[in-house]
Amino acid sequence: MSAELARRAGHYAAAVAECLLEAGLPVTGIQSCGPWRDTDGEYLDVEAGISFTQAFADQHGGGDGGLHWAGTSGWCLYTTDKEDRYLSGVRWPGAGLLPEPRLVAAFVDAFRLDPAGAGSSEQPYYPQEGQDFPMLLDSLAPYLPAQPCLFEEPQIRFADLHRRAYENRVRRALVSRASDPLTHLYLRQGELTALLHLLEYAESSNPSALNRLLAADLGARAGRPPEAAETHKGALQEANHRRQAP
């Protein structure tokens, strides 16, 4: 039962992470674990977590930060102080043990606007540790993937969600509009070269037409026309059309 609880809690975290990604939040990963006994023989809780970029944490204390879910208290958003790395701020949304993913995303948005005013500092308690595990299994069932053969493991499901979310963000940003203003961003040549190296690295580990097109566009603007530069715009539109096709 412990492994199945961990799996289902992970899928619940993936469903919440999907809403966070759709809201534009910088999610980096999910984690989950089932109940287990420590060296003292005590029953521990079912847990799950969602991590964010360090830049997100830097905006809220500079140490560490993320979302944590427990089978006894539900979700909380925690931050740590940059100096001592201990928990310096924990907020609970107070929305029940298994709130809908969209409600968790709304809570994070509220926290970003007003950390001290979002949710509550008082930890709620629902089932007792080590109790009601069969009921919790049933309650987590709606968050299992619709295609279990493709996404049996939560980490695989999240990796697919993460990739598609960022591809969509990049695609929306690259499809230029006549009303888009030109920005005057001065880069050192070394900074631009470093960015192109990062795009090349991303392409080598995860081939993507979007990576290639963005690198080609930046290279052309830097005075180094890419191969077949005149077809860049058409290639971008074709790639976008393919991604939107059923």
Side-chain angles (χ1 to χ4, degrees), residues 20-204:
L20 295 170
L21 287 166
E22 289 174 352
L25 288 162
V27 179
T28 59
I30 63 169
Q31 311 84 34
S32 65
C33 68
W36 51 285
R37 293 185 182 275
D38 64 11
T39 54
D40 296 326
E42 297 178 354
Y43 233 131
L44 300 183
D45 212 348
V46 186
E47 299 180 357
I50 296 175
S51 55
F52 299 97
T53 61
Q54 185 59 47
F56 177 89
D58 288 343
Q59 296 172 359
H60 303 288
D64 190 14
L67 276 168
H68 179 263
W69 179 85
T72 53
S73 300
W75 287 103
C76 72
L77 198 154
Y78 66 90
T79 58
T80 61
D81 187 87
K82 188 175 181 180
E83 298 300 324
D84 57 21
R85 307 292 291 184
Y86 287 104
L87 291 179
S88 57
V90 182
R91 308 296 297 182
W92 280 268
L97 182 61
L98 292 168
E100 294 182 18
R102 61 181 180 81
L103 295 179
V104 182
F107 166 66
V108 177
D109 274 340
F111 176 86
R112 296 177 77 189
L113 293 173
D114 182 13
S120 170
S121 61
E122 296 184 10
Q123 181 176 1
Y125 291 95
Y126 302 110
Q128 294 181 347
E129 263 186 13
Q131 304 293 322
D132 299 327
F133 284 154
M135 184 181 298
L136 186 56
L137 273 174
D138 292 339
S139 299
L140 288 167
Y143 297 102
L144 291 172
Q147 297 176 296
C149 59
L150 295 178
F151 305 116
E152 177 69 20
E153 296 302 321
Q155 295 290 351
I156 296 175
R157 177 182 177 183
F158 172 77
D160 182 70
L161 292 171
H162 195 242
R163 174 186 57 79
R164 288 192 288 110
Y166 274 90
E167 281 185 351
N168 288 336
R169 292 182 194 181
V170 172
R171 187 179 304 107
R172 287 193 298 268
L174 284 180
V175 177
S176 60
R177 299 176 179 84
S179 59
D180 280 354
L182 290 175
T183 61
H184 298 281
L185 176 64
Y186 295 97
L187 293 176
R188 295 183 183 277
Q189 183 61 44
E191 292 172 328
L192 177 60
T193 301
L195 178 57
L196 291 172
H197 282 318
L198 284 173
L199 287 170
E200 185 176 303
Y201 171 74
E203 169 66 16
S204 65

